[in-house]
Amino acid sequence: MAVVCGFGAIGLPTADAAPAQICTAQTLQGFPISGNVCGGTTYGFQCSAGVIYRCSSGPRFQQNNCTLSQVCSIGCLTRTSSATSASDVCFSGAAPLTLSTKNTLGGTDLGLTVTLAAGHPSGAFTNMKIDRGDLVPGSYCGVPNLLASQTSVSFGLPTAVVSSPTNVNLFVDLAYTDTSGVNRQLVSVPSVLTLNPGGTEPPAPEIVNVTLSPSTIAPGGVSIMDVELAKMAPARGIPIAVSSSNPSVASVIANGQPLVLGGCIYGGGAETIQAANSVPSQTTVTISASSGAPGQAPVTTPLTVTAGCSPKTCLEVRGGTVHGGPCGSLPDGCGGTLMCGCDFGETCGRGGVAGQCGTAPSVGVSGLSLSPSSVSGGSASTGTVTLNMAAPAGGVGVFLSSSAAVATVPSSVVVPAGQTSASFTVNTSTVSASNFVTISASSNGTASAVLTVNPASSCTPTTCAAQGKNCGSISNGCGGTLACGTCTAPQTCGGGGVANVCGAAACTPTTCAAQGKNCGTISDGCGGTLTCGACTAPQTCGGGGVANVCGGGTTSTAQLTVTATGRSGESVSSSPAGLRVNVGTSGSASFATGTVVTLTVSNGRDAIWSGGCSSGGSKTKSCSLTLNASTSVTANVQ
C-alpha cells in the first residue's frame, strides 16, 4: 500500500479527511516531478488520491516538493510533459469507481464497477488501492483489468465481519495507453465504505480443481499444489487441509499447504508434498485436499513416486551442523557412503575425537601461582606460570604484569621447549600498610594470582577508630586483626554498604524475573509496583492458572503471501523454507508468529520489495520481516 503523505500512516485518508496539504512526487529514481501532479499515480502515490498538486523541481530525493492546488470531485487524469514534469488535470467524465453500496453489514460481498470511456486499444490495468485490505481483501487477485473492448467491468470483493462500525477507503488507478499512443493514468477520489456489525461470514467455497506440479516425482523430490475454488474466498481466506494416503512415501510439508486469500479463487504455489528419500518400488499415493466446504468430501489427486533412493548430502547427514559434528566416511542413506569434510578451518579428528570435526588445541597459559602468597615489604616471592600443554620448539614467551608498583615482575618469562611451566621472581618494596597486588600472566590465555605485601614487623598497629570501623574484624596493618565490636539491631555490620561499619540495608526492589512473572503488575517489595509486560495472543495474563504469568491458548501462526512480478523465469523463495513463488504467480505459506522470514530472488537477482517487507523503492537481493500477522509482500524482480 502506498504511503499517503500527511496522514501519518500507510494507506488512504479516513472518511471525510481533507487531502494532504503537502506531499512528495518523484520518479522511481528519486528525481522530483514538477508541474501539476495527480495524487495517487505512480509518481504521485505519496499524495492524496484524485486531487491536483502543484510541484516544484529540486535536488534528487527532495521531500515535500508539492502543495495542494485543486480538489477534484471525481478524480484526476495524467498528462505527462516529460520524465520529470507533468500537467495533470481534474477529470470530468464518468466516475472511474462506483460501489454497489456504501453502507453494509460486514461479511456481505461488495459489488464494484470500474469505468473507462476513453479509448484504450491495448486494454487498461486496474490498480485497486484499499486502506483496510484485512476488511476488504482481494485487490490484487479479485480485481479484473479492462479489455480493449470494455468501457466498464463489474466484480465483487468479500468483506470481513466487524464488531463495530468501521470505514474502509477505496480508490482506483486505471493505467492505459490512449489511441494516440500516450500512457495515461486515471485516478478516482477515495470512496468510503462503512462496514457495520451484525453480519456473518459466508461458508467456505468448494474446491473445483486441484493440481500437483509435477505429478510424478523421484525419491526426495517435492511437488507443488495449486487449488481453485468455486468462488472467491471470504475475507479471512481459506486454508486448504492436505493429507497423504501414504505419508511414509509422500508426506505433507509443514507450512506448505495452500492458502486461498480473501477475494481470491486460486491458491498454492508452495512446495506441499515431499517424497521419502528411499522408495523400494514405484508407488502411487492419493493426495487429498479440503477447503472445509459444507457437504464436500475431500478432493483427491494421484501422485506417483518413482522407485529409487536419493543420496543425502553431507550437510543432511551431519544434521545441519557447521562447527563440530560428524565427518569422514558417513552413510548416504542409500547403502553407500559419503566422504564429508569440515568447515571453518576444522579438521576431521583434529579436536581429539575420531570422526568429529574440530581444531587442535593450541598452547597457552592455564594457571599462575605465587609462593609465598604473602610477604613482608622488601621480601621476594616466586611466581610460577603453567601452560595447558608442553611448549613447542623455541619455547613460549609469556607476558607478565603487576597491578601496583610495590611488587615488580619481569616483562616476560619463557617456558622452554618441552616444558609446561617456568618460574620468575616478584620483588617487593617496604610498605606502611598491607597492599594486595594482582600478578598476571598472558599468552593465548590469561591467569592471575594475588600477592599480599605487608609492613615490616616493627610497624605500629592501627585502631578501629583510626580506620573509621565499628564492627567486625579488620587487619591491624601489622599482620594481626582487630575486633571492632558488634551492631545493634536492626543495623548490621556493613548493612549500609560500608564494610565494617554498622548501618541499615536499603530496601532492594525485587524484579519480575526474580518472581517468575511476565505480565501485569506486582509489588516490588519496597512499597512500589513493577510492570511485568503483556502477553502475546492467544495467551492471556494468568490464563494458565498462575497469576501474572502468560498462559492458555495455543501457539499462533500467520500467513505470508508473496506475489512475484517482473522478470520471467525467476522465482522468490523463503527462509525458513515454505515458499517458492515463480514470477507471474502468487503463493502463500503459514509460519509461527514471531518468525523472521527472509525472502530472496533466484540467481542472485535484485527485486524492488513492497508491502509487509519494503525496500523503499530500492533494488535489493533479499528482504526480511518478522511475521506477527498475516502479511502480503510484492517482489518486482529486476
Side-chain angles (χ1 to χ4, degrees):
M1 185 63 66
V3 176
V4 179
C5 180
F7 296 100
I10 62 172
L12 302 168
T14 56
D16 302 324
Q21 297 296 310
I22 300 174
C23 63
T24 301
Q26 57 185 216
T27 66
L28 292 176
Q29 294 76 28
F31 295 101
I33 301 290
S34 63
N36 292 332
V37 169
C38 175
T41 57
T42 302
Y43 48 82
F45 74 91
Q46 296 189 50
C47 303
S48 296
V51 296
I52 299 295
Y53 288 84
R54 185 63 182 172
C55 305
S56 59
S57 60
R60 192 176 183 186
F61 303 121
Q62 178 178 325
Q63 300 294 301
N64 296 327
N65 65 316
C66 302
T67 57
L68 181 64
S69 174
Q70 183 179 2
V71 175
C72 305
S73 60
I74 298 174
C76 52
L77 180 67
T78 62
R79 295 195 311 185
T80 306
S81 301
S82 69
T84 58
S85 64
S87 55
D88 302 343
V89 296
C90 284
F91 178 71
S92 59
L97 176 66
T98 56
L99 309 183
S100 60
T101 180
K102 292 190 176 181
N103 195 302
T104 188
L105 294 177
T108 304
D109 289 349
L110 173 68
L112 305 95
T113 299
V114 171
T115 302
L116 177 61
H120 43 283
S122 299
F125 291 101
T126 306
N127 301 302
M128 178 68 66
K129 307 298 178 65
I130 305 173
D131 71 333
R132 291 298 303 271
D134 57 326
L135 300 182
V136 184
S139 60
Y140 79 93
C141 67
V143 179
N145 295 320
L146 283 164
L147 301 177
S149 59
Q150 290 180 300
T151 57
S152 66
V153 61
S154 297
F155 55 96
L157 292 177
T159 67
V161 176
V162 295
S163 58
S164 61
T166 306
N167 289 331
V168 180
N169 294 265
L170 311 89
F171 76 88
V172 70
D173 173 11
L174 297 175
Y176 65 99
T177 301
D178 66 14
T179 55
S180 300
V182 178
N183 293 329
R184 304 283 190 192
Q185 293 183 57
L186 174 59
V187 180
S188 69
V189 295
S191 296
V192 181
L193 169 69
T194 300
L195 297 178
N196 296 301
T200 57
E201 182 182 80
E206 292 186 350
I207 296 176
V208 297
N209 190 36
V210 174
T211 58
L212 289 173
S213 301
S215 59
T216 298
I217 57 178
V222 296
S223 182
I224 296 172
M225 175 178 283
D226 292 287
V227 298
E228 178 185 0
L229 300 181
K231 61 168 293 184
M232 65 182 177
R236 66 176 174 88
I238 296 297
I240 304 299
V242 182
S243 62
S244 168
S245 65
N246 193 343
S248 64
V249 173
S251 59
V252 179
I253 298 174
N255 298 323
Q257 298 92 325
L259 170 68
V260 183
L261 296 180
C264 301
I265 294 176
Y266 300 96
E271 295 178 346
T272 307
I273 305 297
Q274 172 84 57
N277 186 64
S278 178
V279 180
S281 60
Q282 180 167 303
T283 304
T284 298
V285 180
T286 299
I287 305 299
S288 302
S290 173
S291 65
Q296 185 186 31
V299 177
T300 61
T301 187
L303 175 69
T304 300
V305 182
T306 59
C309 186
S310 175
K312 295 181 180 179
T313 65
C314 281
L315 185 62
E316 291 172 328
V317 171
R318 294 179 60 190
T321 56
V322 176
H323 292 288
C327 57
S329 179
L330 301 173
D332 66 359
C334 292
T337 58
L338 293 169
M339 287 304 297
C340 298
C342 303
D343 299 317
F344 300 98
E346 295 180 340
T347 306
C348 196
R350 192 68 182 276
V353 180
Q356 294 289 318
C357 292
T359 56
S362 56
V363 63
V365 170
S366 62
L368 175 66
S369 62
L370 297 170
S371 181
S373 60
S374 179
V375 299
S376 296
S379 301
S381 177
T382 299
T384 300
V385 62
T386 303
L387 304 181
N388 60 346
M389 63 178 66
V396 173
V398 178
F399 296 99
L400 304 173
S401 64
S402 170
S403 65
V406 298
T408 58
V409 296
S411 59
S412 63
V413 64
V414 175
V415 180
Q419 302 298 309
T420 59
S421 64
S423 298
F424 57 92
T425 300
V426 183
N427 293 310
T428 67
S429 55
T430 58
V431 293
S432 58
S434 294
N435 285 256
F436 302 96
V437 184
T438 299
I439 307 300
S440 299
S442 62
S443 178
N444 193 31
T446 301
S448 60
V450 176
L451 176 67
T452 302
V453 182
N454 297 309
S457 59
S458 61
C459 75
T460 301
T462 187
T463 64
C464 293
Q467 298 300 316
K469 308 299 183 181
N470 60 8
C471 63
S473 297
I474 64 171
S475 171
N476 67 358
C478 294
T481 58
L482 294 171
C484 295
T486 58
C487 302
T488 302
Q491 291 189 337
T492 59
C493 194
V498 180
N500 297 101
V501 175
C502 294
C507 180
T508 301
T510 187
T511 65
C512 293
Q515 299 302 314
K517 307 300 183 180
N518 60 10
C519 63
T521 58
I522 64 172
S523 171
D524 65 359
C526 295
T529 58
L530 295 170
T531 299
C532 297
C535 301
T536 302
Q539 291 191 335
T540 59
C541 195
V546 180
N548 297 102
V549 175
C550 294
T554 58
T555 301
S556 63
T557 60
Q559 285 76 44
L560 174 61
T561 298
V562 174
T563 299
T565 63
R567 182 179 290 272
S568 64
E570 303 298 338
S571 62
V572 177
S573 300
S574 68
S575 177
L579 268 176
R580 182 170 65 82
V581 180
N582 294 328
V583 169
T585 66
S586 298
S588 302
S590 297
F591 300 88
T593 55
T595 299
V596 177
V597 181
T598 299
L599 301 173
T600 56
V601 184
S602 60
N603 296 318
R605 291 198 172 276
D606 296 321
I608 298 174
W609 308 86
S610 60
C613 192
S614 173
S615 61
S618 300
K619 296 189 290 184
T620 61
K621 297 184 184 300
S622 64
C623 195
S624 297
L625 72 160
T626 301
L627 193 64
N628 291 317
S630 293
T631 303
S632 295
V633 176
T634 297
N636 185 350
V637 178
Q638 301 299 297

